[in-house]
Amino acid sequence: MSPDDPIILYGTPLSQPVRAVIWLLLNKRKVFKLVLTNPGSRGDRGSRNADFLTKNPGGTIPLLEEPGSGFILAEAHAILAYLCQKYHWFDLYPNDHRSRAKVDWYLHSHHRGARDASLAFFATNVRKDLTFPKDVVTMSKAVFNRHLKAMEDGWLKNSNYLAGDHVSLADLAAYVDIAQLKPKFTNLYDFDPFPNVSRWMQSLEQFGMHDEAHAGLAHLGDISQNSPDKQAIKAANKYGYNVIKGINSNL
């Protein structure tokens, strides 16, 4: 394989962490190949397939692969930081140590905060392969509510974005988990009590390639009344994949 071959991203457009990486790559007009990979599946295109596990023993998505060098990297936040450092996208991941530390501060807190939005609300409706104990869901809802309050009264009280007055990786990582619940998408959460968070989400809708990165999620639509079946989920992922493929083919 040539060093100039496009990087490969394994995952699905409906996956929140995968979508954060997709959004970054689309925004920066960086050509990549998305390989649809079903989370939790042992099938040929599953993240628990033996071949995939040789690349990522954790069996999670997203997974980044550079065909030319053979370099492989998992975990969305590690991938986001790596890409920004490699390609000098310092507007989103500042080169200044203190500014970058503020971005890292949020990213390190994300998995017991905004990430719980997906477990508490989205995954319980979409991940048919998983069973969530009631007490775990209840705890995740409480964690997510506390996180939103911290954003409302802290992170975003006197700042346009999570790490300052400019969009950063912190915002991309947070948005994909939080905003998926708003009426424009799945309509699973009432954000009226959080005006600062709502303003922040609205601002990020203007960040380049927002609609394209979230095309699959928009295609899935409102699931507040009825959980989507497997065909609806498959169709949404396929729609998002085709949008991404079309953009990459024109770069």
Side-chain angles (χ1 to χ4, degrees), residues 173-239:
Y175 183 92
V176 294
D177 275 301
I178 296 171
Q180 66 181 332
L181 307 179
K182 63 184 179 179
K184 179 175 181 175
F185 295 128
T186 59
N187 194 28
L188 295 174
Y189 195 88
D190 178 14
F191 288 99
D192 287 345
F194 303 98
N196 288 333
V197 174
S198 297
R199 179 261 307 161
W200 167 79
M201 289 192 295
Q202 188 173 6
S203 294
L204 281 167
E205 285 188 26
Q206 307 308 312
F207 187 70
M209 289 292 177
H210 169 276
D211 290 352
E212 292 80 358
H214 293 80
L217 187 63
H219 189 274
L220 183 67
D222 189 333
I223 61 173
S224 60
Q225 300 303 312
N226 296 292
S227 295
D229 58 24
K230 289 184 178 180
Q231 288 305 311
I233 296 168
K234 182 178 180 179
N237 274 319
K238 190 66 174 179
Y239 183 84

Side-chain angles (χ1 to χ4, degrees), residues 90-111:
F90 298 133
D91 54 326
L92 297 176
Y93 197 50
N95 204 23
D96 171 74
H97 295 315
R98 289 182 177 176
S99 298
R100 179 176 291 185
K102 287 188 176 181
V103 176
D104 288 335
W105 178 4
Y106 180 82
L107 292 176
H108 289 315
S109 72
H110 178 85
H111 276 80

Side-chain angles (χ1 to χ4, degrees), residues 118-176:
S118 292
L119 192 157
F121 299 98
F122 186 82
T124 54
N125 284 280
V126 175
R127 289 293 301 274
K128 307 300 183 182
D129 59 309
L130 300 176
T131 300
F132 300 97
K134 185 177 180 179
D135 58 340
V136 171
V137 174
T138 299
M139 181 181 67
S140 289
K141 288 182 177 180
V143 169
F144 178 61
N145 288 333
R146 287 197 300 271
H147 188 78
L148 279 189
K149 183 170 176 55
M151 289 177 66
E152 181 70 23
D153 299 337
W155 296 94
L156 298 172
K157 184 177 181 179
N158 298 306
S159 178
N160 291 328
Y161 299 101
L162 289 171
D165 290 327
H166 303 283
V167 178
S168 73
L169 294 185
D171 299 293
L172 302 191
Y175 183 92
V176 294

Side-chain angles (χ1 to χ4, degrees), residues 21-41:
V21 179
I22 287 172
W23 195 4
L24 172 66
L25 291 169
L26 292 181
N27 178 267
K28 293 302 184 180
R29 307 305 198 267
K30 179 65 179 175
V31 176
F32 67 100
K33 178 183 178 182
L34 178 63
V35 176
L36 289 176
T37 306
N38 298 320
S41 171

